């Protein structure tokens, strides 16, 4: 069993290399072991590309060893034709006698079918190795399919006395006060690259004129999202520079200009549910919410969040925009030179 955990951990390490590049697919890694030695390994590198099992099998230099090997993979092999052929069929065709799986897949077209194909094909199948870690790696994927909504991450920075911003008004040209340091700002850009979409509210768009892109890290750009009930945000804002896909949620009629799309929704008590349903329909696995306070509180009050990442700086604002109350007890804390990061996990997420 100790060896099982060792090889499965290697699968997880490989799978993590696909972060930000494989959604809406899950992150998957695989290794092929013969006589106590890893002879092949691979991971799902990009959406639409070869799956981890196919990559691992292809990397084995001496294919004759496969018939006496064990294949490890952190997620149940697929059994359907999608953008690639079924991995379960490939494993059976290569006469691999033993397959060790971290966790079953819950996607309707896969769930249980991969296990069934492997078993009927003569493979000895074992499951549940490092299952919790395997589910945690693909928490976005599992949340999306179990809750029918994206995995929601809230992020904000607050002063030492609990303010998210000083007293500023849209259009007064007062720049924001940086609460965190350069290292933390680079970390936030890394986080952006890991998520499918990023969202702000109207006031944040007006006061901060954010780009909401990944420029201090190497990674894909998320879909930018902003609330604009009256569709009155000025076109001079960075959000409308056409550099990446941008969705504007509004009460005005839907339309599209280049990479910017205005999407009509009802701005009533169901707005958040409407957005979650839309993102689910459009295969957006994860959403990174960067504030401001009104938008953050709406997610917190509905219980519609999975993680909250809160930076607290050393400054005292004394007055301004109050930050949301801490959502419970932090799961972890990290100290930086100019701030402290508290990481919260919602143990009973809502809608």
């Amino acid at each position: 069993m100790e060896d099982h955990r060792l090889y499965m951990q290697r699968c997880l390490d490989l799978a993590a290399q696909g972060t930000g590049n494989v959604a809406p697919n899950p992150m998957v890694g695989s290794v092929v072991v013969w006589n106590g030695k890893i002879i092949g390994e691979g991971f799902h590198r990009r959406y639409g590309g070869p799956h981890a099992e196919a990559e691992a099998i292809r990397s084995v230099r001496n294919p004759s060893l496969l018939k006496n090997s064990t294949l490890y993979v952190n997620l149940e092999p697929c059994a359907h034709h999608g953008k690639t052929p079924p991995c379960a069929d490939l494993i059976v065709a290569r006469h691999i006698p033993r397959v060790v799986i971290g966790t079953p897949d819950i996607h309707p077209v896969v769930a249980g079918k991969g296990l069934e194909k492997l078993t009927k094909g003569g493979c000895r199948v074992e499951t549940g190795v490092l299952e919790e870690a395997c589910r945690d790696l693909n928490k976005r994927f599992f949340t999306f399919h179990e809750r029918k909504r994206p995995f929601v991450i809230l992020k904000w920075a607050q002063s030492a006395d609990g303010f998210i911003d000083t007293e500023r008004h849209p259009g007064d040209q007062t720049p924001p006060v940086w609460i965190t340091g350069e290292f933390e700002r680079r970390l936030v850009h890394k986080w952006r690259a890991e998520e499918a979409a990023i969202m702000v509210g109207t006031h944040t768009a007006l006061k901060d004129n954010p780009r909401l892109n990944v420029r201090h890290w190497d990674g894909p750009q998320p879909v930018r999202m902003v609330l604009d009930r009256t569709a009155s945000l000025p076109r001079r804002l960075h959000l409308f520079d056409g550099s990446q896909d941008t969705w504007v949620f509004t009460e005005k009629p839907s339309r599209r200009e280049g990479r910017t799309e205005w999407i009509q929704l009802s701005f009533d008590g169901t707005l958040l549910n409407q957005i979650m349903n839309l993102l689910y329909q459009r295969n957006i696995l994860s959403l990174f919410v960067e504030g401001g306070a009104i938008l953050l509180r709406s997610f917190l009050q509905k219980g519609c969040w999975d993680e909250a990442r809160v930076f607290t700086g050393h400054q005292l604002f004394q007055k301004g925009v109050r930050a949301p109350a801490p959502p419970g007890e932090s799961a972890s804390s990290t100290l930086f030179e100019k701030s402290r990061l508290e990481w919260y996990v919602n143990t009973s997420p809502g809608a």
Side-chain angles (χ1 to χ4, degrees):
M1 195 60 190
E2 187 63 40
D3 288 340
H4 278 355
R5 290 194 292 268
L6 177 67
Y7 298 133
M8 191 59 67
Q9 184 58 56
R10 178 56 181 165
C11 290
L12 292 171
D13 293 342
L14 289 166
Q17 295 183 54
T19 300
N21 295 311
V22 302
N25 284 351
M27 293 176 281
V28 183
S30 179
V31 298
V32 179
V33 177
W34 173 80
N35 199 26
K37 178 183 178 182
I38 295 177
I39 60 172
E41 61 182 29
F43 66 96
H44 188 32
R45 296 174 181 271
R46 59 178 177 81
Y47 178 66
H51 288 188
E53 302 94 319
E55 290 277 272
I57 291 171
R58 188 179 297 119
S59 72
V60 176
R61 293 185 179 181
N62 184 356
S64 67
L65 299 179
L66 290 171
K67 65 180 182 296
N68 293 308
S69 298
T70 300
L71 182 139
Y72 290 81
V73 61
N74 60 289
L75 189 69
E76 177 183 354
C78 63
H80 67 291
H81 283 270
K83 292 184 178 295
T84 61
C87 292
D89 287 354
L90 175 62
I91 294 168
V92 171
R94 291 304 184 94
H95 304 290
I96 298 174
R98 188 184 187 199
V99 180
V100 179
I101 299 168
T103 183
D105 198 333
I106 61 169
H107 193 290
V109 300
V110 180
K113 299 180 180 67
L115 296 173
E116 183 181 2
K117 270 196 174 185
L118 292 172
T119 302
K120 287 184 175 179
C123 296
R124 181 155 59 95
V125 179
E126 300 175 46
T127 62
V129 177
L130 295 186
E131 184 167 6
E132 185 176 344
C134 291
R135 283 186 60 91
D136 184 66
L137 177 73
N138 279 308
K139 56 194 175 185
R140 296 162 182 81
F141 177 79
F142 283 101
T143 295
F144 182 80
H145 289 288
E146 289 173 347
R147 296 191 172 274
K148 311 301 182 188
R149 66 159 174 80
F151 187 88
V152 177
I153 300 169
L154 310 179
K155 171 262 169 183
W156 72 86
Q158 62 187 26
S159 63
D161 50 353
F163 292 96
I164 202 170
D165 196 2
T166 55
E167 286 189 339
R168 294 186 299 140
H169 303 284
D172 67 6
Q173 304 301 310
T174 304
V177 177
W178 284 108
I179 293 174
T180 59
E182 182 180 349
F183 182 88
E184 297 96 300
R185 292 195 285 275
R186 290 188 64 189
L187 176 61
V188 169
H189 281 244
K190 176 181 181 293
W191 290 344
R192 289 178 178 180
E194 295 171 351
E195 311 309 334
I198 181 171
M199 178 185 287
V200 295
T202 308
H203 289 165
T204 298
L206 282 172
K207 291 195 295 184
D208 294 350
N209 190 16
R211 289 179 171 84
L212 301 186
N213 61 10
V214 179
R215 59 191 182 275
H216 299 310
W217 196 263
D218 184 22
Q221 301 291 348
V223 178
R224 297 185 296 202
M225 300 180 181
V226 60
L227 301 183
D228 184 13
R229 182 173 189 169
T230 59
S232 57
L233 286 173
R235 301 298 290 276
R236 61 177 170 75
L237 297 179
H238 294 307
L239 289 172
F240 301 110
D241 60 16
S243 63
Q244 65 202 82
D245 292 340
T246 303
W247 299 356
V248 183
F249 300 123
T250 179
E251 280 189 338
K252 300 298 182 180
S254 298
R255 60 189 175 92
R256 179 189 290 271
E257 291 182 17
R259 301 183 69 178
T260 303
E261 181 179 4
W262 284 260
I263 301 171
Q264 187 177 33
L265 297 174
S266 297
F267 274 61
D268 54 25
T270 69
L271 177 60
L272 197 54
N273 287 336
Q274 293 176 63
I275 293 174
M276 293 296 100
N277 290 336
L278 176 73
L279 269 53
Y280 177 74
Q281 293 164 11
R282 295 196 178 192
N283 268 340
I284 299 294
L285 255 64
S286 60
L287 176 64
F288 195 58
V289 183
E290 286 210 36
I294 296 174
L295 184 61
L296 289 166
R297 286 195 185 98
S298 69
F299 278 91
L300 290 166
Q301 288 166 3
K302 291 278 188 180
C304 186
W305 64 282
D306 299 285
E307 290 182 0
R309 304 170 187 178
V310 183
F311 292 100
T312 301
H314 305 317
Q315 307 98 318
L316 294 173
F317 286 0
Q318 298 185 343
K319 61 181 180 177
V321 180
R322 273 285 176 192
E329 188 173 333
S330 68
S332 66
S333 179
T334 304
L335 189 63
F336 299 101
E337 181 181 356
K338 294 189 176 181
S339 70
R340 182 182 74 254
L341 169 63
E342 301 286 350
W343 200 298
Y344 300 88
V345 176
N346 191 356
T347 57
S348 54

